[in-house]
Amino acid sequence: SGSAADDGQSTTADCSTSGSAATYYFANDGHGWAADASDPGDWISTADVAMTLFQNAGCTDTAPSSWHGTKVAGVIGAVTNNGIGIAGVAPQTTLLPVRALGVCSGRVGDLAAAILWAAGIGVSVDAGTIAASPAARIINLSLAAPTPCSKTEQDAINQAIDAGVLVVAAAGNEGGPLDAPANCAGVL
């Protein structure tokens, strides 16, 4: 099974407040990693912005949920020819929803775990293993960070590619050089 430790750490997160406070709080769902993509939203509350964890991540203002993942899923799979809303680019596709990020930010280890899980690779955590998903054939990463591709991201992407998965990432939304994970090797 794959392992999803942050760069520089030797163990994986257990998603408890004591084992991985960032994962737990950023998830905004009360439990951290789980084989459940239910999305409570990424709203930022006054309690969140009062926490040092959020301030250190640059989140100092409250904000409503963006529902970005839901919007992207709609662009991909919305029903066509019904006279309602938009037409999806691949309306006959089956979508496997995966929440890689949550409130304010996310950790590279959480992103790597999401990539591995979506690729059908079980993910090890301190408390055990989250069983593999039904493997996706394409992973769409509609997210970016203005950083170089990390070893953790690249390792997860390599494992996904080795499993026969095409990894696609957002690029160019802000202009300038490619952000991670679009700047990782093998990513479209």
Side-chain angles (χ1 to χ4, degrees):
S1 67
S3 176
D6 275 330
D7 286 340
Q9 293 184 355
S10 59
T11 62
T12 56
D14 70 4
C15 298
S16 68
T17 53
S18 62
S20 179
T23 294
Y24 183 84
Y25 286 113
F26 291 158
N28 200 30
D29 60 9
H31 57 73
W33 288 359
D36 173 10
S38 298
D39 190 353
D42 59 355
W43 46 271
I44 302 172
S45 71
T46 53
D48 293 334
V49 298
M51 294 173 61
T52 303
L53 176 69
F54 282 74
Q55 294 168 3
N56 290 344
C59 297
T60 56
D61 295 319
T62 61
S65 291
S66 69
W67 304 109
H68 180 75
T70 302
K71 292 173 187 174
V72 172
V75 168
I76 294 170
V79 175
T80 60
N81 298 319
N82 64 356
I84 300 172
I86 65 167
V89 296
Q92 298 300 313
T93 196
T94 299
L95 297 176
L96 174 66
V98 180
R99 280 186 77 223
L101 305 176
V103 177
C104 170
S105 186
R107 294 177 15 171
V108 169
D110 297 334
L111 174 58
I115 291 168
L116 293 171
W117 188 80
I121 301 167
V123 180
S124 297
V125 295
D126 290 344
T129 300
I130 297 175
S133 74
R137 292 186 297 182
I138 301 170
I139 295 174
N140 175 59
L141 299 168
S142 181
L143 49 89
T147 61
C149 179
S150 71
K151 182 180 181 327
T152 299
E153 289 167 300
Q154 190 64 64
D155 288 348
I157 288 166
N158 289 347
Q159 289 182 61
I161 292 169
D162 289 348
V165 177
L166 171 63
V167 180
V168 180
N173 289 344
E174 291 86 30
L178 285 180
D179 291 338
N183 59 13
C184 296
V187 173
L188 175 65

